[in-house]
Amino acid sequence: MGTRKKVHAFVRIKPTDDFAHDMIKYGDDNKSIDIHLKKDLQRGVVNNKQTDWSFKLDGVLHNASQDLVYETVAKDVVAQALDGYNGTIMCYGQTGAGKTYTMTGATENYKHRGILPRALQQVFRMIEERPTHAITVRVSYLEIYNESLFDLLSTLPYVGPSVTPMTIVENPQGVFIKGLSVHLTSQEEDAFSLLFEGETNRIIASHTMNKNSSRSHCIFTIYVEAHSRTLSDEKYITSKINLVDLAGSERLGKSGSEGRVLKEATYINKSLSFLEQAIIALGDQKRDHIPFRQCKLTHALKDSLGGNCNMVLLTNIYGEAAQLEETLSSLRFASRMKLVTTEPAINEKYDAERMVKNLEKELALLKQELAIHDSLANRTLVSYDPMDEIQIAEINSQVRRYLEGTLDEIDIINLRQIQEVFNQFRVVLSQQEQEVESALRRKYTLIDKNDFAAISAVQKAGLMDVDGHLVGEPDGQGFGLGVTSFSTKPGKKSKSKKTFKEQLSSSARKEGASSPVSGKDFEVSTSKTQLTPSSKEGDVKDLPLRDLETSSAEPLPSDSPKEESRPPRPSTPPPKPVAFEDFKNERGSEINRIFKENKSILNERRKRASETTQRINAIKREMDMTKEALNFQKSLREKQGEYENKGLMIIDEEEFLLILKLKDLKKQYRAEYQDLRDLKAEIQYCQHLVDQCRHRLLTEFDIWYNESFFIPEDMQVSLKPGSSIRPGMVPVSRLVSLGEDDQDKFSQLQQMMLPEGPDSISFYNAKVKTEQKQVGLEQRGSLC
């Protein structure tokens, strides 16, 4: 276990114009806060009521920005979570003091985001900085409302409502919520979408102290699991970060709550009172029993309160004199929390399957070691221990010296050493292949031999003959590249002309390669720009495949005309929109046709998805009506008296028909819902291919426009056969819009104009998706 450490407690004061400077003062170290109350003269001269308090904390945040709050309170906790330590960050305080703003922030403004979205960003940034580990991130969002547990992410279509109520379960690994959905997130934007989805489902209400008061406790949990990519060790680490936004304590006389809000306030104050009792018990070293089970909040946070966890409390208080009593109560809670100690330790787990495989492999190696030891009985010193990093580095050095010729032979010691020698040969060979490839990429441009448009342009540039062999590569093997000298003339052999293998060997010598590379070809994979629908859609199955075969078997009609038939160049380049229309009708007609067909298929899928959604809504309404009728029949049967025959309930024909109808409707609903999910997957795939096709059309137009209007006349000779300039080597600064819809334009404008930079793109994209979903649900509700 780890060493014990105290809980860190910070205080954040809500900014106000009526700050009580004469009653609230901060220490010089910014780690203490003093409260002074004036004596009540009405109580007389003898008045022993306490008027001064001093609280020692880990930090006082006054007029602090969201950036400073996160750097001070949460950054270290999140960073240690990726090393295997659990962490909990809790916001506590009076209602309206700024707990939710501190934890979640203003979701409309990226700059004002709170601890929770910043923690998600930090987790994914740190994952990118650790390529040696395979790290998975999962999240869950729990709400405790009136002592009942709710899953804030149950509204997602693939989750659905739980049949059984959620319960808190304890096991040797800790406390977990049975029935709470946990969602895998592979990227930052997905995590933000889940956060915003849960935020829309939270329960809030209005009273005199706060217009948007949270009426429940919420726990957003980030689960991290890290496996090493480089080590075959069966050990891996797990951790979780609990981000707790507590509902605010409130005095009913000040908040003026009544009705449902009054009931909610009663439950909130009760659970916070139990939380304080648990904290007092944890701070008392003489207490053996800690009352965690008094309420759902303390039971769910049992691991965090005094357990294996890095715990941080952020207390939000008012700075006004009118709220001084509640401020004192919150500061007392923070002081009690500082007395609590936790014992954080790295959460290491073992993969049983990998452990068995490693043990089997180790057993086989030991048997081979003993066999060699028996055969080499004359050798007295044989080490059977696994090699450490220093020994591996020494073997790598020996292999390199052997390849360079400075070492005549490598001495054989044991089987492990032999295996590591071969492994290091593989490592060195792979490194040298990468070095040679990078050197070639700096000197040449690799092309895809299946890209007929590029091959046609290369032939026109004189880099490939009519038989499909690259110039400088008469045997037709090796890399898809080659450059001829400017002095090469048709019909004559150039003495300075090199074969590809000579170019490769000279490049390797220049880059310091010490051993030959393998003869395997480099292949540049290209994405398909023609849409291929699923086998379910018979009406459009043959057309895209036929187009794809045509585009693959024949060069796209994007080949520029021959030099002698090229029309004279205009004095000034035409506007790009005009040139783009000409390009789509001539050289880019084939790509434009494929793009339009893909776009039409995408629109057709969207239309079918909309029709399927309408059918699902209609079936749902009919199911609801059938259920109401069935319930009415059941109640009528119960009133009239139930009849049984041999222990079986007897129902009338009308109720029986309603049951059959409801069963059929449920079957139709499941079938339609499955079709809708399939359509959504197809739409996503179609959209991806449409974007690829659009990008290719723009790239082809960019190359054509530069070659046609920007290359000087005296350099046109460089584009003739035998030249070193090939299509696409002249860059451009801008691309032309290609019939983008409003969403495409918004995405491009967003990336260029966001003041916070590219880091905020995931945040805003997730926010836009959540808002669009809410609008769709509202429209669907109005239709129903």
Side-chain angles (χ1 to χ4, degrees):
M1 295 294 290
T3 58
R4 299 196 69 84
K5 58 185 295 187
K6 290 186 177 296
V7 173
H8 293 287
F10 298 87
V11 170
R12 186 181 191 184
I13 298 93
K14 183 176 182 180
T16 177
D17 295 333
D18 300 328
F19 188 82
H21 294 280
D22 55 338
M23 297 182 179
I24 304 176
K25 297 184 181 300
Y26 312 121
D28 296 334
D29 58 353
N30 211 30
K31 291 187 177 181
S32 63
I33 182 169
D34 298 328
I35 306 295
H36 172 72
L37 282 177
K38 295 180 180 180
K39 281 194 175 184
D40 189 0
L41 298 179
Q42 295 180 0
R43 291 178 175 266
V45 178
V46 180
N47 184 3
N48 295 325
K49 183 179 180 181
Q50 185 176 355
T51 59
D52 295 282
W53 294 265
S54 181
F55 300 94
K56 298 292 183 180
L57 304 163
D58 292 289
V60 178
L61 302 169
H62 182 50
N63 292 329
S65 64
Q66 295 282 67
D67 289 333
L68 179 59
V69 171
Y70 184 78
E71 292 286 333
T72 306
V73 176
K75 186 175 182 180
D76 291 341
V77 176
V78 176
Q80 293 184 31
L82 268 75
D83 295 328
Y85 293 94
N86 293 335
T88 297
I89 303 171
M90 180 188 298
C91 285
Y92 175 90
Q94 181 186 3
T95 179
K99 299 181 298 301
T100 301
Y101 177 77
T102 299
M103 182 58 68
T104 308
T107 56
E108 296 80 9
N109 192 317
Y110 176 78
K111 184 178 180 181
H112 296 156
R113 67 197 188 281
I115 292 176
L116 212 162
R118 291 174 189 269
L120 289 172
Q121 278 188 315
Q122 183 181 349
V123 167
F124 284 98
R125 294 292 184 272
M126 294 183 67
I127 290 176
E128 293 176 358
E129 297 171 358
R130 301 189 181 192
T132 58
H133 287 77
I135 302 177
T136 58
V137 179
R138 295 176 174 84
V139 300
S140 64
Y141 211 166
L142 172 69
E143 180 182 50
I144 304 176
Y145 173 72
N146 290 354
E147 280 301 293
S148 298
L149 304 177
F150 296 95
D151 186 359
L152 290 178
L153 300 180
S154 62
T155 55
L156 294 172
Y158 55 87
V159 178
S162 177
V163 179
T164 58
M166 292 190 295
T167 56
I168 302 175
V169 180
E170 294 187 43
N171 58 21
Q173 285 73 36
V175 177
F176 69 96
I177 312 299
K178 184 178 181 180
L180 180 64
S181 62
V182 180
H183 304 261
L184 177 65
T185 58
S186 57
Q187 56 186 355
E188 184 179 315
E189 184 176 328
D190 295 339
F192 282 142
S193 297
L194 293 172
L195 169 62
F196 296 145
E197 175 72 21
E199 286 297 313
T200 58
N201 297 328
R202 289 190 64 174
I203 298 176
I204 60 174
S206 176
H207 53 72
T208 58
M209 299 289 294
N210 190 359
K211 292 183 179 179
N212 297 304
S213 175
S214 300
R215 312 309 296 166
S216 60
H217 310 298
C218 291
I219 305 174
F220 188 94
T221 305
I222 306 172
Y223 306 88
V224 180
E225 183 176 310
H227 295 259
S228 176
R229 298 181 189 270
T230 57
L231 302 176
S232 61
D233 193 0
E234 63 273 3
K235 182 169 61 177
Y236 64 97
I237 60 174
T238 62
S239 62
K240 64 179 180 179
I241 310 171
N242 289 322
L243 300 163
V244 186
D245 181 16
L246 297 175
S249 61
E250 57 184 84
R251 291 180 180 266
L252 302 181
K254 290 185 177 182
S255 62
S257 302
E258 57 184 13
R260 180 179 63 87
V261 180
L262 175 61
K263 179 182 177 182
E264 294 169 346
T266 303
Y267 275 104
I268 291 171
N269 291 338
K270 181 180 178 182
S271 61
L272 292 177
S273 176
F274 287 142
L275 173 63
E276 189 164 5
Q277 291 178 20
I279 296 302
I280 294 173
L282 287 168
D284 187 357
Q285 301 297 329
K286 299 179 181 179
R287 292 282 294 270
D288 296 330
H289 172 69
I290 310 299
F292 285 118
R293 294 176 178 266
Q294 291 188 109
C295 67
K296 299 289 180 61
L297 176 63
T298 55
H299 199 184
L301 295 177
K302 182 179 179 180
D303 289 344
S304 303
L305 302 174
N308 173 21
C309 182
N310 287 315
M311 178 75 180
V312 177
L313 174 71
L314 181 56
T315 304
N316 295 82
I317 62 174
Y318 279 94
E320 302 173 356
Q323 310 296 336
L324 206 56
E325 292 184 10
E326 288 78 9
T327 297
L328 276 172
S329 177
S330 298
L331 290 174
R332 290 192 188 99
F333 182 86
S335 297
R336 295 185 181 113
M337 181 64 82
K338 276 187 64 64
L339 299 176
V340 178
T341 59
T342 61
E343 195 171 356
I346 297 178
N347 298 292
E348 294 181 344
K349 295 185 178 180
Y350 292 87
D351 189 340
E353 183 178 355
R354 182 178 291 185
M355 184 186 299
V356 171
K357 291 182 179 179
N358 289 344
L359 291 175
E360 291 176 349
K361 184 178 179 181
E362 183 72 17
L363 181 61
L365 285 173
L366 290 174
K367 291 180 179 179
Q368 295 173 3
E369 288 278 7
L370 292 174
I372 290 182
H373 180 70
D374 293 338
S375 64
L376 302 175
N378 295 330
R379 302 179 62 186
T380 58
L381 182 60
V382 178
S383 176
Y384 296 100
D385 297 330
M387 291 189 173
D388 55 19
E389 295 181 358
I390 298 177
Q391 293 173 325
I392 294 175
E394 176 61 27
I395 293 177
N396 182 276
S397 175
Q398 292 177 359
V399 169
R400 290 185 180 276
R401 285 186 284 133
Y402 178 80
L403 293 174
E404 292 170 358
T406 58
L407 183 65
D408 294 334
E409 60 182 17
I410 300 176
D411 295 332
I412 296 177
I413 299 176
N414 54 34
L415 182 61
R416 292 183 187 273
Q417 185 249 4
I418 295 174
Q419 291 178 334
E420 189 59 40
V421 167
F422 282 104
N423 183 48
Q424 292 304 317
F425 268 112
R426 186 189 299 112
V427 171
V428 172
L429 179 60
S430 176
Q431 291 176 351
Q432 291 181 352
E433 284 180 352
Q434 295 175 2
E435 291 173 359
V436 172
E437 181 183 357
S438 61
L440 292 172
R441 288 187 182 277
R442 287 195 298 268
K443 294 178 180 294
Y444 308 102
T445 301
L446 304 183
I447 65 171
D448 180 13
K449 291 185 177 181
N450 296 323
D451 190 346
F452 297 101
I455 292 176
S456 176
V458 170
Q459 289 177 347
K460 292 184 180 299
L463 302 180
M464 180 180 289
D465 57 21
V466 294
D467 296 329
H469 297 110
L470 296 173
V471 176
E473 189 190 7
D475 57 353
Q477 298 179 354
F479 297 87
L481 53 89
V483 179
T484 62
S485 172
F486 280 102
S487 62
T488 304
K489 296 181 180 179
K492 295 183 180 181
K493 295 183 178 179
S494 174
K495 296 181 180 180
S496 61
K497 187 174 182 179
K498 296 180 180 181
T499 66
F500 169 73
K501 294 183 178 179
E502 292 172 350
Q503 294 173 0
L504 177 59
S505 61
S506 63
S507 300
R509 285 193 298 272
K510 290 180 181 179
E511 296 299 324
S514 58
S515 68
V517 299
S518 62
K520 63 182 179 182
D521 297 346
F522 287 94
E523 297 180 356
V524 182
S525 63
T526 56
S527 302
K528 298 179 182 178
T529 56
Q530 175 62 36
L531 173 64
T532 306
S534 62
S535 59
K536 294 182 180 180
E537 313 304 329
D539 53 341
V540 292
K541 178 179 180 181
D542 296 329
L543 178 60
L545 290 175
R546 186 167 60 254
D547 293 338
L548 186 61
E549 293 171 358
T550 304
S551 62
S552 300
E554 301 177 3
L556 296 176
S558 58
D559 303 333
S560 58
K562 295 183 179 180
E563 183 67 28
E564 56 270 11
S565 62
R566 177 175 295 179
R569 173 187 294 183
S571 57
T572 59
K576 277 199 171 184
V578 177
F580 188 56
E581 294 299 326
D582 296 338
F583 173 78
K584 290 193 293 184
N585 295 329
E586 298 174 0
R587 177 170 170 173
S589 59
E590 181 68 13
I591 304 178
N592 188 45
R593 180 188 64 82
I594 297 174
F595 171 78
K596 289 182 177 179
E597 291 181 358
N598 290 346
K599 191 80 172 181
S600 64
I601 294 174
L602 175 61
N603 293 334
E604 187 267 341
R605 291 294 187 277
R606 287 175 172 171
K607 181 180 178 181
R608 289 177 53 188
S610 176
E611 294 173 352
T612 304
T613 303
Q614 294 177 4
R615 289 197 300 270
I616 290 176
N617 290 335
I619 294 173
K620 184 64 171 61
R621 289 194 296 269
E622 191 172 356
M623 286 173 59
D624 294 338
M625 295 172 60
T626 305
K627 287 180 180 179
E628 291 180 1
L630 187 58
N631 291 333
F632 176 76
Q633 289 293 328
K634 288 182 179 179
S635 62
L636 187 62
R637 171 166 49 84
E638 291 174 354
K639 291 179 181 180
Q640 295 177 352
E642 298 178 345
Y643 298 94
E644 295 184 0
N645 183 14
K646 296 181 180 179
L648 299 177
M649 187 66 63
I650 300 176
I651 60 176
D652 58 8
E653 183 179 1
E654 184 176 357
E655 184 175 355
F656 179 72
L657 293 177
L658 286 174
I659 294 175
L660 293 180
K661 181 180 179 182
L662 182 61
K663 183 178 179 181
D664 293 338
L665 288 173
K666 288 182 178 180
K667 183 178 180 181
Q668 295 177 23
Y669 182 86
R670 286 192 291 267
E672 293 288 348
Y673 187 77
Q674 183 61 39
D675 292 343
L676 180 61
R677 293 185 62 179
D678 295 341
L679 283 172
K680 286 183 177 180
E682 291 181 15
I683 289 172
Q684 184 178 4
Y685 180 68
C686 294
Q687 183 65 55
H688 173 68
L689 294 185
V690 167
D691 293 339
Q692 281 188 333
C693 193
R694 177 186 292 125
H695 175 72
R696 181 174 179 182
L697 183 57
L698 293 175
T699 304
E700 293 287 340
F701 167 71
D702 182 45
I703 296 173
W704 172 81
Y705 189 79
N706 280 274
E707 291 177 355
S708 302
F709 304 109
F710 283 96
I711 298 179
E713 293 287 347
D714 55 352
M715 291 186 63
Q716 288 289 337
V717 67
S718 299
L719 292 175
K720 293 181 180 180
S723 66
S724 60
I725 298 180
R726 294 188 290 169
M729 295 182 66
V730 181
V732 294
S733 59
R734 292 182 299 177
L735 295 176
V736 177
S737 299
L738 174 64
E740 299 146 330
D741 51 21
D742 294 338
Q743 182 63 32
D744 296 331
K745 293 180 179 179
F746 171 76
S747 300
Q748 294 183 6
L749 181 64
Q750 187 184 57
Q751 297 183 19
M752 292 187 297
M753 302 302 294
L754 281 178
E756 294 85 1
D759 290 343
S760 62
I761 293 177
S762 299
F763 182 87
Y764 282 116
N765 284 345
K767 182 64 179 175
V768 169
K769 290 180 181 179
T770 305
E771 291 177 350
Q772 290 177 346
K773 179 181 178 181
Q774 289 299 116
V775 172
L777 291 175
E778 291 175 0
Q779 293 176 351
R780 187 179 304 173
S782 61
L783 291 175
C784 293

